[in-house]
Amino acid sequence: MAVGKNKNLGKGKKGGRKKIVDPFLKKEWYKLVAPSIFAQKDCGRTLITKTQGTKIASEYLKGRVIEISLADLQKNEALAHRKIKLCIEDVQGYNCLLNFHGMDMTRDKLCSLIRKKQSIIEANVDCRTSDGYIVRMFCIAFTKQQATQIKSTCYAKSAQIRSIRAKMVSTMQELGTKGDLKTLVKELISDHIGEQIVKQASSIFPIKDCFIRKVKVLKKPKFDVTELMEWHSADEKTADTGKPIEGADTKEETLAGSGGRL
């Protein structure tokens, strides 16, 4: 190579290597505050990039959905099969005020219920609460053998399944429309609706393990701070979900409102 032809050969890249900065130095922690219907108010922390110019941290936090086990919220391990979704509605200082956004059941609980030689009955319904929320509820139940049955299978006929599904829909519709969202959430947490459906359907075909499998909030009314503060009022009573398990030898009868067998 001729001398002086490639002048840029000995030079490094323009500007040199960028200085590596820890990304967590630009972030800050916010406290998550659950509604007062739950026993545990302080339910965790969330991370967000600090406010820079027009990018305000609190605005980016609003609408963030957090999924928490109901066992942690109620301090009761018997409710570990339930997952609660809470949405950040407002930010006050470093506190994020949460509101109910949905409910689900863990996959392992659902899989433990599904077995051979029985029928699965599922139903869903959309209902509007008195305070303007549109909620979709999904219900699941399974047929069971009668006490004196010899046959190993317990399949229900299609007409019987339709009748039980109609009972499920009417019960969920009545529950959803009779009160506001707070009343509905309390009922869903206590899990009495499943027992109610089992009693109503017993005249058609015996069923077991009836649960509200999933709840979705489809539509919310216009945001109101006073309504949100009602969810976080200190004098609110927590939902009755029974007593927590104290020891390994605790009998099943003592788990009041635990939502079925463990």
Side-chain angles (χ1 to χ4, degrees):
M1 183 188 270
V3 179
K5 286 284 182 182
N6 197 347
K7 292 178 182 178
N8 295 324
L9 195 64
K11 293 182 180 178
K13 285 187 179 178
K14 195 174 181 181
R17 290 184 71 182
K18 279 190 176 180
K19 195 177 181 182
I20 299 167
V21 182
D22 185 14
F24 279 87
L25 295 173
K26 295 180 181 179
K27 298 183 185 291
E28 55 192 354
W29 292 95
Y30 280 76
K31 183 182 173 184
L32 300 173
V33 182
S36 54
I37 57 172
F38 300 109
Q40 182 72 27
K41 290 277 198 75
D42 185 6
C43 58
R45 302 284 187 275
T46 189
L47 203 61
I48 192 76
T49 308
K50 291 176 184 177
T51 303
Q52 290 180 343
T54 55
K55 292 183 178 180
I56 302 163
S58 60
E59 292 300 316
Y60 281 87
L61 279 168
K62 287 174 186 176
R64 189 177 282 191
V65 177
I66 292 99
E67 193 175 74
I68 310 164
S69 173
L70 186 58
D72 295 333
L73 287 170
Q74 294 293 88
K75 300 177 182 176
N76 187 353
E77 284 302 314
L79 304 169
H81 63 279
R82 288 276 188 214
K83 295 185 289 183
I84 301 289
K85 284 183 180 178
L86 300 170
C87 181
I88 297 173
E89 295 278 340
D90 194 23
V91 180
Q92 295 181 355
Y94 282 95
N95 293 334
C96 299
L97 302 183
L98 303 172
N99 199 355
F100 181 77
H101 189 70
M103 189 180 77
D104 206 351
M105 189 180 272
T106 56
R107 183 177 168 82
D108 63 308
K109 175 68 175 176
L110 206 57
C111 291
S112 70
L113 299 172
I114 298 167
R115 293 172 188 171
K116 292 191 290 183
K117 299 178 183 179
Q118 65 180 17
S119 299
I120 300 173
I121 305 162
E122 288 185 289
N124 65 80
V125 66
D126 292 1
C127 51
R128 182 187 285 271
T129 60
S130 59
D131 52 352
Y133 287 85
I134 297 174
V135 180
R136 181 173 292 163
M137 291 189 280
F138 298 81
C139 185
I140 191 168
F142 304 87
T143 56
K144 72 171 180 179
Q145 290 184 343
Q146 293 180 358
T148 56
Q149 187 174 324
I150 300 167
K151 195 173 158 183
S152 61
T153 60
C154 54
Y155 298 119
K157 292 177 181 177
S158 58
Q160 291 171 326
I161 289 171
R162 281 199 299 273
S163 301
I164 293 169
R165 191 176 288 122
K167 292 270 185 190
M168 286 177 173
V169 168
S170 63
T171 307
M172 288 191 291
Q173 191 81 48
E174 186 188 344
L175 180 74
T177 54
K178 74 175 180 182
D180 58 356
L181 185 68
K182 196 189 286 185
T183 311
L184 176 63
V185 173
K186 284 179 185 175
E187 286 287 334
L188 292 169
I189 291 168
S190 59
D191 223 352
H192 297 311
I193 187 170
E195 296 165 16
Q196 193 180 332
I197 293 167
V198 169
K199 284 178 186 175
Q200 289 179 0
S202 60
S203 59
I204 304 163
F205 198 96
I207 61 169
K208 62 176 182 177
D209 298 330
C210 185
F211 296 102
I212 301 297
R213 178 177 64 83
K214 195 173 188 178
V215 178
K216 287 181 183 178
V217 177
L218 301 178
K219 201 171 183 182
K220 295 181 180 182
K222 197 175 178 182
F223 175 69
D224 187 10
V225 180
T226 53
E227 280 185 20
L228 181 65
M229 293 316 293
E230 283 176 17
W231 280 81
H232 291 268
S233 57
D235 58 340
E236 185 65 48
K237 290 181 180 179
T238 57
D240 180 27
T241 55
K243 295 179 182 178
I245 300 169
E246 291 178 3
D249 58 340
T250 310
K251 292 182 182 178
E252 195 173 20
E253 287 78 8
T254 60
L255 300 175
S258 63
R261 300 192 304 275
L262 293 175

